[in-house]
Amino acid sequence: MLRHTLVLLAASLASGLAAAATPPAPLMPAATRDALSEAIAADHDQALSRLREWIALPTINAEKLNRQEGAELMQRMLLDAGFDSARIIPTDGAPGVFGRLDAGAPVTLAVYFMYDVKQFEAHEWSQPPLEGRLVDRDGKTVMIARGAINQKGPEATLLTAIRAFKATGTPLPVNIVLVAEGEEETGSENFGQITGDPEVAKALAGAVGVILPVAWQGDDGGVDIFLGAKGVAEVQLVADGATSGRGPGMEIHSSMAASVENPAWRLVKALDTLVADDGYTPAIDGWMDHVRPLSKEQVAMIEAGIRPGSEAAAKKEMMVQGWIGGEDYRTSLVRLASQPTVNIQGLVSGYMGPGGKTSLPSRAEAKIDFRLVPDMRADEVVAKLRAHLDKRGFQDIQIVPGGIYGPTETPGDAAIVDALVTTLAAADLPHTLNPRLAGSWPGYRFTDPPVSLPAVFVGIGQGGQAHAPDEWYLIESNDPKVAGIDRQALFYAEFLYALAKTKR
């Protein structure tokens, strides 16, 4: 997923946000709201069953697992929810799905879905990761499953809202065009083939904006509205004695370290050049050339979202004792939004079994990700990395590119932002604006030319531990400020009405 930094988001909201304005007039007629609410409540058990069916089919692109099956299920779900059409779009990797729902409305909304999930190790979970079991978590009923929050839960809940319109015979207040992919968790390598499809491109051109369904409420019910997200580039660095000649072509006895180079040390030395001596400041040549600083207004947005207790909540959630360089919380949050990163996801080399083996490995690998901010160019990442390593004599280190995409930005006065603010105000939920999510998603395909649409994350509710064991999604809440899935679905319906009334 969606690669988004949710922990600090939840923590920053946990202690309260700016109070919402006086709620405006209802977004829809009371009778319509009641009918939709009743239909959603009546559909509750079936909604859980549909979500469990989706979760039971893990589309894991990194393993090339269930690519076609995942697209076909996504197609069926859209048609079943009430879309007029849903077409599978072949790509060089996992297929995409394009759905249309024409309500004859003057406003068209574009929606982004991902139907793939991260890998998992079942033995690390307290519940089977593909069953969607309901458990108690701090007095709330949550579903534990891979994909529960990232992103199947919120996406399924949006479809529940659309089903309610169909069930009650209520015309949707906006038209919907939906673009789904199955490669987000590996960097959306072929997403451009989907958005570049002539029918999709034409449909997007007529949309007022793009949303991604999420469930990121804080414990006080507040919502942070992100006006952008960092980009990401994933690469693998490899030191291989068999191909480079620097080291053995097979595992050998460690006594030979006196005369044969160790690829593991070779990789470690190369990795050390990517950051400064502090261990976190990017040191790749030219890396910071096009980094655009946050404006005073953007920094003020971040400061406005800080409330007493939010730092302690963030530390507790992530089990950290402090921030990089001993920085204060405010400085750390500004860094989170403004700074590009060089991160080692994992290192693999040699023997790590019981006892010692006194061996010298022939190969060492590291998985790296870089977070990118405006105005960094995603298409320059590999070239700059290659030039940096070559300049320091590491021509033998192989670079295997993965998914790479750029950052996004959306103006605060965009119609979809106005509609989200209006919907939150009508629900008496506080909100703040934030210039940038520290995580990433392939939204640049929408926000950059030729599409050039505003994009924003929309939703209420909660979830957590995306990409980790025991990923969860809030189903039923014991707190009226925080939404379970029925209230989340109704919120989406309210948002559609608010969007229909916005000035474009």
Side-chain angles (χ1 to χ4, degrees):
M1 158 178 200
L2 193 57
R3 297 162 169 76
H4 31 333
T5 303
L6 305 181
V7 173
L8 285 182
L9 159 64
S12 69
L13 293 166
S15 297
L17 299 171
T22 302
L27 299 175
M28 67 182 88
T32 300
R33 189 180 193 278
D34 290 345
L36 293 174
S37 181
E38 290 173 5
I40 290 167
D43 191 37
H44 180 89
D45 290 344
Q46 288 302 311
L48 289 179
S49 295
R50 292 191 298 271
L51 178 53
R52 287 192 177 106
E53 179 188 4
W54 200 6
I55 283 168
L57 181 70
T59 301
I60 302 176
N61 195 53
E63 301 172 356
K64 295 182 173 56
L65 180 65
N66 293 323
R67 283 172 156 183
Q68 185 65 30
E69 294 86 348
E72 290 172 355
L73 179 55
M74 181 82 269
Q75 179 188 43
R76 292 197 302 272
M77 291 175 65
L78 295 182
L79 294 173
D80 188 51
F83 277 73
D84 302 317
S85 63
R87 176 170 65 91
I88 292 178
I89 301 176
T91 75
D92 292 339
V97 181
F98 173 60
R100 304 189 71 147
L101 203 169
D102 186 358
V107 175
T108 296
L109 171 68
V111 177
Y112 168 82
F113 271 17
M114 52 181 279
Y115 64 83
D116 62 318
V117 298
K118 270 295 185 186
Q119 308 93 301
F120 61 88
E121 297 289 341
H123 68 272
E124 298 176 347
W125 292 60
S126 68
Q127 306 293 328
L130 299 182
E131 291 187 11
R133 290 185 182 178
L134 301 184
V135 302
D136 178 83
R137 188 180 189 274
D138 299 328
K140 302 171 184 176
T141 301
V142 306
M143 177 180 288
I144 291 181
R146 174 54 85 225
I149 184 62
N150 183 23
Q151 281 300 116
K152 291 181 177 179
E155 291 172 351
T157 302
L158 174 58
L159 294 183
T160 294
I162 294 172
R163 291 175 68 93
F165 283 92
K166 176 183 175 182
T168 59
T170 304
L172 261 74
V174 300
N175 312 311
I176 296 177
V177 294
L178 187 147
V179 186
E181 66 158 323
E183 298 182 333
E184 198 281 338
E185 296 295 8
T186 55
S188 302
E189 302 99 316
N190 299 293
F191 189 45
Q193 297 177 30
I194 302 170
T195 58
D197 176 273
E199 184 186 9
V200 176
K202 182 178 179 180
L204 291 176
V208 69
V210 183
I211 69 166
L212 167 64
V214 296
W216 296 349
Q217 268 187 296
D219 287 341
D220 72 331
V223 173
D224 217 349
I225 300 174
F226 289 97
L227 300 179
K230 288 183 177 180
V232 69
E234 290 189 288
V235 303
Q236 185 175 6
L237 299 184
V238 181
D240 189 339
T243 58
S244 70
R246 303 190 66 130
M250 59 178 288
E251 181 181 309
I252 62 175
H253 197 278
S254 67
S255 63
M256 297 307 299
S259 58
V260 178
E261 190 167 358
N262 188 324
W265 277 119
R266 184 70 177 162
L267 181 60
V268 168
K269 292 296 185 181
L271 291 171
D272 188 49
T273 72
L274 304 185
V275 294
D277 289 343
D278 58 22
Y280 51 83
T281 300
I284 301 169
D285 296 336
W287 205 249
M288 307 295 286
D289 287 353
H290 304 298
V291 171
R292 188 203 314 161
L294 293 178
S295 67
K296 291 182 180 179
E297 293 76 14
Q298 290 174 320
V299 172
M301 286 182 192
I302 295 172
E303 292 173 340
I306 302 173
R307 294 295 181 271
S310 58
E311 180 178 17
K315 288 180 176 179
K316 179 181 178 181
E317 183 72 20
M318 293 185 290
M319 293 191 288
V320 300
Q321 298 181 17
W323 312 112
I324 274 181
E327 292 177 344
D328 61 85
Y329 188 50
R330 178 263 182 200
T331 303
S332 179
L333 289 178
V334 172
R335 173 188 290 277
L336 187 66
S338 65
Q339 294 301 298
T341 64
V342 177
N343 177 60
I344 299 176
Q345 297 180 25
L347 289 166
V348 178
S349 183
Y351 179 74
M352 290 300 293
K357 194 181 180 186
T358 59
S359 63
L360 191 158
S362 67
R363 182 180 175 93
E365 306 175 23
K367 286 190 179 290
I368 310 290
D369 68 64
F370 308 100
R371 300 289 168 170
L372 313 176
V373 301
D375 293 307
M376 297 177 77
R377 293 266 309 267
D379 59 358
E380 295 180 347
V381 167
V382 174
K384 286 187 174 182
L385 179 60
R386 180 75 273 165
H388 172 92
L389 292 173
D390 289 353
K391 181 179 178 180
R392 288 155 182 80
F394 291 104
Q395 294 91 342
D396 55 296
I397 299 296
Q398 303 171 35
I399 301 175
V400 183
I404 299 176
Y405 48 76
T408 71
E409 286 190 292
T410 285
D413 61 354
I416 54 173
V417 177
D418 288 343
L420 180 54
V421 169
T422 298
T423 311
L424 291 168
D428 199 22
L429 294 174
H431 73 275
T432 60
L433 295 177
N434 192 300
R436 189 172 303 134
L437 183 70
S440 309
W441 71 297
Y444 81 106
R445 290 290 184 185
F446 302 117
T447 60
D448 286 3
V451 180
S452 301
L453 287 176
V456 72
F457 309 101
V458 173
I460 54 178
Q462 287 184 339
Q465 294 176 238
H467 295 196
D470 284 356
E471 178 181 350
W472 62 275
Y473 178 50
L474 179 61
I475 301 300
E476 296 182 14
S477 175
N478 60 359
D479 185 341
K481 299 187 298 294
V482 180
I485 60 169
D486 290 358
R487 181 65 186 94
Q488 293 172 44
L490 186 60
F491 181 87
Y492 285 122
E494 293 166 345
F495 171 78
L496 298 181
Y497 274 94
L499 184 62
K501 296 178 181 180
T502 57
K503 295 181 180 179
R504 290 171 288 159

